[in-house]
Amino acid sequence: MSHPSAQADTGAGLSRLAAISAALRPHDPGAQVALDPDHGSVQVLTVLDPEEVDRILAAAGIPVAPTPAGAGGGCGCGCSCSGG
């Protein structure tokens, strides 16, 4: 699938990445956040529970969408949270 504004999409993804990283940092300084531009998703590696990540992101005003069934977990922000 092609995206006519792929660079704009990547810029928006990087902005979202920075916002997620900034929101999580006070709660888990070791959290790692990475952008997957091919799928338009963000992957988060953190020691926080996915429910806590969801709460933190919601409090920071970062939109959180429900994770599709069978998607392997995550907080719903488009990431693949690995709580630990």
Side-chain angles (χ1 to χ4, degrees):
M1 177 183 343
S2 64
H3 298 283
S5 59
Q7 238 174 353
D9 291 345
T10 300
L14 291 174
S15 177
R16 182 181 179 103
L17 179 83
I20 292 170
S21 183
L24 294 176
R25 191 171 298 120
H27 306 278
D28 179 7
Q32 298 176 17
V33 185
L35 176 65
D36 181 354
D38 292 337
H39 297 101
S41 63
V42 175
Q43 293 184 330
V44 177
L45 179 62
T46 181
V47 297
L48 301 171
D49 290 329
E51 295 82 16
E52 182 70 3
V53 173
D54 184 38
R55 186 193 64 73
I56 292 166
L57 296 180
I62 299 169
V64 180
T67 303
C75 65
C77 71
C79 75
S80 302
C81 291
S82 299

